[in-house]
Amino acid sequence: MVAGELVQEHLRADPGAPDAITVSRKSPEPRRAEEPVCGGAGGGAAHTEAHTEQEKEKEADERDAMLPNGGGGAGGAAEEKLRTGLYRRRFAVLAVFSLYSLVNAFQWIQYSIITNVFTRYYRVSNDQVDWLSIVYMLAYVPLIFPATWLLDRRGLRLTALLGSGLNCAGAWLKCASVSPERFSVTVTAQVVCSVAQVFILGLPSRIASVWFGPREVSTACATAVLGNQLGTAIGFLLPPVLVPNTPDDDDELTVIKDRPPLPPSHAQAVLPDSPLEDYSYKQSIINLIKNKAFILLLTSYGIMTGSFYSVSTLLNQMIMACYENQELNAGRIGLTLVVAGMVGSILCGLWLDHTKTYKMTTLIVYVLSFLGMVVFTFTLNLDSIYLVFFTAGVLGFFMTGYLPLGFEFGVEITYPESEGTSSGLLNAFAQIFGIIFTLIQGKLTTDYNPLAGNLFLCAWIFLGILLTALIKSELKRHNVNMGADSNHLQALPTECPSDCPSENKINGVKLEPSVSFSRETSL
């Protein structure tokens, strides 16, 4: 309903008119013909003054040549080129994406949260139902590279259409799987939905970067991630209610476009409008792998997010091992965990937009997630289901709230690389760790008890804290925006000659820093 209102509002509005903010830079006035130099006593001074003026204009022309499109139009017109604007359509783009991301996340967890029901209905083991969740993580790893390549080459719109289309196909296929003999159909449908997820999880930071301004980009990213979290929350809540545990064992125009007419920030304005002819997706991956700070973030993000996936998948088994006949409350505890995380995500996004303290915020949330996991671990079997609600809420607030922090931190330290590529790699590592953690924690929970499995996760999360502390924080995107705000652009794309040093080239685009990138902004 909200998405419908946003779309109607957009249709009533002038689609080409930007929102309240439009920023422009004036280019130097056209050069005037030089006055003839007269002889006499003042002739030498006049000649020197004219020569100085000529040198200044030449330097101005050279600075303009560093701007996109050479600083001029087709006919060399002296119009300004770094115009930016915000469009109302950005809210509709965010709403539509959040809605189909919600549905995809719902389909991820809908089976695992009622594992005890589905094992009886389909006459399968707990491990087989666990794989309905693990397949989401497993499919992501090999498919993320072609998916991010498609995002970079064909744009946001096509990627979003593929994600929502596969999501819809998987949902309809699940309707045909409602029979105890059709577990294979259920698996097939879940595989289709897991493929759809590949075209969804990496888009929040891309949507935020290309549609939202620098003062709202982190909040927009957190809101986009929130849709996915809300879907997981509904997936925890509704299945136990709609599928009760019974003893019977016999039983047209698209809103999302590639980018707005005007970029929302200078960090986007200084990037090429479209992929360069010599753009190399392979080189982009290599650049990210060579970024030591990003590799540390990849590992720490994978540990935290993989732990969340594992806890979510095995929550029903942990609760049922400590509390009999509490499958309804298991779903409600999962709902509490995710809803609290949604609040944490929004608050963290607002905090980042206000302070830009990415590493500090990420490290603090990581430490608090570790403490929350420890408390959850040692209070799970105290025979107080209400205490579990509270500890799960605290755990979810920080653990789920960490997800958009990792996205935005990754974009900052890898700029100007594609946001879809960095986010895709982060999610790929999250799926890898999620698979490993779910299998090992599930085995420990089954063979021993939930305490053993949770302690296993606690040890890994502590390692993630150490890795996060080692990340060298350079807020490259933020510095470009700050430099532009002070009329001192810090990174401009220019054509890079073949002899340009490799460390200054990003897929054929050369970064020309006026001042070296500063460290993370402090309060």
Side-chain angles (χ1 to χ4, degrees):
M1 187 173 180
V2 174
E5 293 174 356
L6 287 169
V7 173
Q8 292 174 8
E9 176 186 354
H10 164 68
L11 292 176
R12 291 196 298 268
D14 180 7
D19 224 352
I21 302 174
T22 300
V23 181
S24 64
R25 281 184 54 200
K26 282 203 164 188
S27 59
E29 294 184 4
R31 295 181 57 181
R32 294 172 294 184
E34 293 182 3
E35 293 289 336
V37 180
C38 299
H47 175 76
T48 302
E49 183 178 350
H51 179 72
T52 303
E53 182 67 25
Q54 182 179 1
E55 289 297 324
K56 290 182 179 179
E57 291 179 355
K58 182 179 179 181
E59 292 174 2
D61 290 342
E62 290 175 351
R63 286 195 301 269
D64 286 346
M66 296 173 65
L67 297 174
N69 300 325
E79 281 193 2
E80 118 16 79
K81 291 303 168 193
L82 280 181
R83 298 175 58 218
T84 63
L86 297 178
Y87 295 80
R88 287 187 294 272
R89 178 187 285 266
R90 69 189 187 277
F91 298 112
V93 170
L94 188 61
V96 170
F97 169 78
S98 297
L99 287 175
Y100 77 77
S101 179
L102 178 152
V103 174
N104 184 262
F106 174 88
Q107 296 187 88
W108 163 55
I109 205 65
Q110 67 180 133
Y111 296 115
S112 294
I113 195 58
I114 48 176
T115 299
N116 57 316
V117 176
F118 275 96
T119 52
R120 283 204 316 275
Y121 181 77
Y122 285 115
R123 300 181 183 90
V124 294
S125 65
N126 285 345
D127 292 342
Q128 289 174 286
V129 177
D130 289 346
W131 275 100
L132 294 176
S133 172
I134 295 174
V135 70
Y136 259 63
M137 312 171 209
L138 189 63
Y140 195 93
V141 178
L143 296 178
I144 184 54
F145 297 104
T148 53
W149 177 88
L150 184 69
L151 176 62
D152 290 341
R153 302 297 294 185
R154 300 301 300 273
L156 183 63
R157 180 176 179 271
L158 178 61
T159 305
L161 285 173
L162 280 174
S164 57
L166 290 171
N167 210 29
C168 177
W172 278 106
L173 191 56
K174 287 182 180 181
C175 294
S177 70
V178 185
S179 173
E181 295 79 27
R182 297 179 184 174
F183 184 71
S184 59
V185 179
T186 301
V187 173
T188 303
Q190 195 73 344
V191 169
V192 173
C193 292
S194 69
V195 175
Q197 174 208 214
V198 181
F199 301 98
I200 295 174
L201 284 188
L203 297 189
S205 57
R206 180 60 169 260
I207 290 174
S209 292
V210 303
W211 280 97
F212 289 82
R215 294 184 179 274
E216 56 188 15
V217 62
S218 296
T219 304
C221 181
T223 303
V225 174
L226 183 147
N228 196 269
Q229 298 168 4
L230 180 59
T232 306
I234 296 174
F236 277 127
L237 176 65
L238 287 185
V241 175
L242 299 178
V243 187
N245 182 19
T246 61
D248 185 7
D249 290 333
D250 298 328
D251 319 334
E252 82 235 333
L253 291 176
T254 61
V255 173
I256 294 182
K257 296 185 180 298
D258 285 334
R259 57 182 64 244
L262 289 178
S265 66
H266 282 83
Q268 285 294 311
V270 300
L271 295 177
D273 293 335
S274 59
L276 301 176
E277 291 298 327
D278 59 348
Y279 172 83
S280 170
Y281 179 71
K282 177 182 177 182
Q283 184 60 44
S284 180
I285 297 293
I286 294 174
N287 292 337
L288 292 176
I289 294 175
K290 289 181 178 179
N291 189 327
K292 295 180 181 179
F294 184 66
I295 294 299
L296 289 172
L297 180 64
L298 270 182
T299 308
S300 61
Y301 183 89
I303 290 172
M304 175 63 74
T305 311
S307 298
F308 169 71
Y309 290 162
S310 183
V311 169
S312 300
T313 301
L314 302 172
L315 185 62
N316 173 272
Q317 297 175 41
M318 287 190 285
I319 299 300
M320 296 301 293
C322 300
Y323 303 91
E324 292 184 2
N325 302 320
Q326 291 292 331
E327 50 277 322
L328 275 178
N329 276 330
R332 292 166 182 162
I333 290 171
L335 172 69
T336 303
L337 184 146
V338 177
V339 170
M342 291 163 54
V343 177
S345 295
I346 293 299
L347 291 180
C348 288
L350 292 170
W351 176 259
L352 285 185
D353 277 333
H354 181 67
T355 66
K356 302 300 180 183
T357 53
Y358 288 85
K359 180 177 178 179
M360 179 192 300
T361 305
T362 301
L363 185 58
I364 290 175
V365 171
Y366 218 118
V367 172
L368 294 175
S369 298
F370 169 73
L371 296 177
M373 189 67 201
V374 170
V375 172
F376 176 79
T377 297
F378 288 101
T379 59
L380 182 62
N381 60 351
L382 293 184
D383 200 25
S384 175
I385 195 70
Y386 298 106
L387 180 60
V388 177
F389 271 94
F390 176 77
T391 56
V394 173
L395 177 64
F397 182 89
F398 296 111
M399 183 176 280
T400 314
Y402 170 83
L403 303 183
L405 296 180
F407 275 166
E408 283 297 284
F409 197 14
V411 172
E412 287 290 339
I413 62 179
T414 61
Y415 178 88
E417 296 295 346
S418 169
E419 302 89 354
T421 304
S422 61
S423 298
L425 287 175
L426 286 171
N427 278 319
F429 267 63
Q431 312 303 325
I432 292 172
F433 277 97
I435 294 170
I436 296 172
F437 287 172
T438 301
L439 292 175
I440 296 178
Q441 187 187 10
K443 183 69 173 175
L444 292 172
T445 300
T446 302
D447 294 351
Y448 299 97
N449 51 49
L451 178 64
N454 287 332
L455 286 175
F456 166 78
L457 290 186
C458 289
W460 277 95
I461 295 174
F462 182 76
L463 175 61
I465 294 174
L466 301 179
L467 295 176
T468 302
L470 295 175
I471 297 175
K472 182 180 179 182
S473 178
E474 288 183 324
L475 307 185
K476 299 178 181 179
R477 180 182 64 176
H478 173 62
N479 288 334
V480 171
N481 286 325
M482 292 297 292
D485 289 342
S486 61
N487 295 324
H488 218 76
L489 288 180
Q490 291 188 331
L492 298 175
T494 64
E495 301 216 353
C496 193
S498 59
D499 60 348
C500 176
S502 59
E503 62 269 18
N504 294 331
K505 294 171 66 176
I506 303 293
N507 276 318
V509 176
K510 180 183 178 185
L511 291 181
E512 292 285 357
S514 61
V515 180
S516 62
F517 289 124
S518 62
R519 294 286 184 263
E520 178 171 309
T521 305
S522 59
L523 285 176

